[in-house]
Amino acid sequence: MIYTLENYILFALIYSSVKEGRFPSQEYDSDILVEVFKTSIIDKENIFEASENKKLEMINKSAKILQNRNSRINIEKRIENMKSLFIETDKLNILAKKIPLEMELLEKNNMKTIVYEDEKYPKYLKELKDPPFIIFYKGYFPSDRELEKSLAIIGTRNPEEKYGREVARRVGKALLDKGWWNISGLALGCDEYGHKGSIGATGAILAQGLATPVFPKENTELANEILDNQGFLMSELPPSIKPNSIFFVLRDRLQSGLTRGIFVVETSCKSGTLHTVKYALEQNRKAFIWNPLLVKDLQNENEVQGNIGLLDRTGKKYEFNVTIPKTLKQNTIAINNNKHLIEYLQQIESEIKFEKEEKNREEFLQNKLF
């Protein structure tokens, strides 16, 4: 491997460095940081040990990739951001001093890791434009084969009691009964009840280091129950890192990214859930949305207006807090009930089977020819 575990922890420390303020932001632009890392992997060059000229070469190469992807970004700012980190190195050395503490917390808290270069690193995460450098986890982490059958049950933290909680719990139970994983975020509300329904095949991706007290504290017992029943807790952040608002948005991309897709139970038009919906659609994952229009009691409930807007095909404008282009929104899938969802799951299972048969066929032909 090009990088050591200590190197990977350093990347995670860089990634999790935050500029505090009214709207916290990452100290180092993660888009170019990830590209620099990927470039170093391709070039087989450890950037922490490379010469200054090689570092500059990798930074400029990464900047060009980003600019080709999005010409509107401030690329000069990002280049200077990386130079201040990898060329001047004072800030890097300060962060490096934290590595022994993180290593100690790993051992004390019985945490395990999967790094980007590890063959066990999830293939779905590797497909992302911004994959985690390292995964920290507790419990049983599912294999790629198991993750082929996984969804994220998500939604508002304030589901109305009569329908939202029960829909989340029943969908969780349906996934469990079908041999599917539910990988969500341990948030109060829809996430929470989805986890409760799927105990035995559920995991949570947290927006904090796993050596810090579980947030929200109300779900501490649920987190322990997940771990006690062959589930897992996971984070891309070093063990000591406390929750921060920016980490929740960053975490959302992993809920959709690690799975086949998402199931939205209930969401308003001003919910963090919509971040995950957008990520799922951009990542070409399934975006299943529970259809509340079949329930008269819910027509005017604030907590389902996001569902209605995501499924609307009339062109009506909805005041979402997240901009989701029409071309993406049209790919959302309305789900009326569990039977309807299971039909889609069976379709996905058939696709998985077909993909494997095609792969086996190609391998057979290659072996026969060569």
Side-chain angles (χ1 to χ4, degrees):
M1 291 205 306
I2 297 168
Y3 291 107
T4 65
L5 176 58
E6 287 83 359
N7 290 156
Y8 274 104
I9 291 174
L10 183 52
F11 270 119
L13 285 166
I14 296 167
Y15 179 84
S16 59
S17 297
V18 172
K19 287 189 289 187
E20 296 293 351
R22 185 181 176 189
F23 300 105
S25 61
Q26 288 175 288
E27 182 78 26
Y28 303 100
D29 299 300
S30 60
D31 52 3
I32 192 166
L33 179 64
V34 171
E35 286 305 327
V36 167
F37 168 75
K38 287 181 178 178
T39 298
S40 74
I41 295 293
I42 293 169
D43 291 355
K44 297 181 180 180
E45 188 85 47
N46 184 322
I47 193 165
F48 302 118
E49 300 173 355
S51 67
E52 184 172 317
N53 285 340
K54 185 60 181 178
K55 288 178 181 180
L56 286 170
E57 180 188 323
M58 288 192 281
I59 290 170
N60 289 327
K61 191 186 295 185
S62 303
K64 188 174 181 180
I65 292 170
L66 277 185
Q67 197 164 39
N68 288 338
R69 188 186 300 160
N70 183 0
S71 59
R72 292 176 296 179
I73 64 174
N74 187 337
I75 201 64
E76 291 304 322
K77 171 182 171 291
R78 283 165 169 76
I79 291 173
E80 291 306 312
N81 191 245
M82 290 296 98
K83 284 181 179 179
S84 73
L85 179 66
F86 291 113
I87 305 298
E88 296 170 14
T89 72
D90 287 348
K91 294 177 181 178
L92 192 64
N93 291 336
I94 292 171
L95 288 172
K97 290 178 181 179
K98 299 179 182 181
I99 296 173
L101 170 63
E102 303 301 339
M103 294 288 286
E104 183 181 342
L105 289 173
L106 276 175
E107 186 174 350
K108 279 186 177 179
N109 290 272
N110 195 28
M111 267 179 253
K112 298 172 185 172
T113 60
I114 304 175
V115 302
Y116 184 87
E117 293 176 86
D118 195 315
E119 61 181 12
K120 293 181 181 178
Y121 190 92
K123 67 177 182 180
Y124 286 156
L125 290 185
K126 222 158 207 180
E127 294 172 359
L128 305 184
K129 66 180 181 181
D130 50 359
F133 302 104
I134 179 173
I135 294 168
F136 302 93
Y137 72 96
K138 292 181 180 179
Y140 172 79
F141 195 81
S143 65
D144 278 345
R145 184 176 179 181
E146 291 168 299
L147 290 171
E148 286 179 341
K149 294 168 45 174
S150 64
L151 286 184
I153 299 174
I154 62 173
T156 176
R157 288 170 170 75
N158 302 295
E160 42 69 47
E161 295 184 19
K162 188 175 180 182
Y163 297 100
R165 295 181 180 182
E166 191 61 14
V167 168
R169 188 191 65 77
R170 289 188 180 187
V171 170
K173 182 65 165 57
L175 293 183
L176 179 67
D177 291 344
K178 286 289 294 178
W180 280 61
W181 278 77
N182 165 34
I183 299 172
S184 191
L186 203 70
L188 294 172
C190 295
D191 291 36
E192 172 189 0
Y193 284 89
H195 282 305
K196 287 179 177 179
S198 52
I199 291 293
T202 188
I205 305 175
L206 306 187
Q208 63 183 93
L210 300 184
T212 62
V214 168
F215 181 88
K217 63 181 180 180
E218 294 88 342
N219 279 344
T220 301
E221 187 176 333
L222 176 58
N224 291 331
E225 189 178 0
I226 289 171
L227 291 176
D228 290 341
N229 289 274
Q230 292 296 300
F232 69 90
L233 303 181
M234 165 193 149
S235 177
E236 65 178 331
L237 306 172
S240 71
I241 302 298
K242 296 178 180 179
N244 188 298
S245 58
I246 191 172
F247 296 147
F248 287 92
V249 177
L250 293 170
R251 182 275 309 273
D252 289 344
R253 82 190 194 286
L254 302 181
Q255 292 182 98
S256 54
L258 187 62
T259 61
R260 279 271 173 170
I262 59 173
F263 180 92
V264 177
V265 180
E266 290 183 348
T267 182
S268 69
C269 291
K270 305 290 184 182
S271 170
T273 300
L274 296 176
H275 287 289
T276 314
V277 173
K278 185 177 182 179
Y279 282 130
L281 293 169
E282 288 176 339
Q283 294 162 353
N284 199 29
R285 304 298 196 252
K286 302 291 185 184
F288 299 117
I289 316 293
W290 181 56
N291 184 4
L293 292 175
L294 301 180
V295 183
K296 290 183 180 180
D297 294 355
L298 292 178
Q299 302 300 304
N300 298 314
E301 287 285 338
N302 179 62
E303 295 304 331
V304 300
Q305 295 310 305
N307 295 52
I308 293 170
L310 287 168
L311 296 174
D312 189 285
R313 299 292 189 263
T314 65
K316 178 181 175 181
K317 289 188 176 180
Y318 291 82
E319 296 299 321
F320 288 157
N321 63 320
V322 177
T323 302
I324 302 177
K326 289 180 182 179
T327 52
L328 289 179
K329 191 164 78 75
Q330 67 184 7
N331 294 324
T332 57
I333 303 168
I335 296 295
N336 299 330
N337 50 47
N338 273 5
K339 182 180 178 182
H340 193 193
L341 176 62
I342 289 170
E343 288 174 358
Y344 276 106
L345 299 186
Q346 290 172 336
Q347 181 180 329
I348 293 172
E349 288 175 2
S350 296
E351 291 171 1
I352 294 170
K353 184 179 179 181
F354 177 76
E355 288 169 5
K356 287 182 177 177
E357 288 174 349
E358 283 295 294
K359 184 178 179 181
N360 290 337
R361 181 174 175 273
E362 288 176 8
E363 288 177 352
F364 172 78
L365 290 174
Q366 285 179 350
N367 290 333
K368 193 173 182 180
L369 287 170
F370 300 104

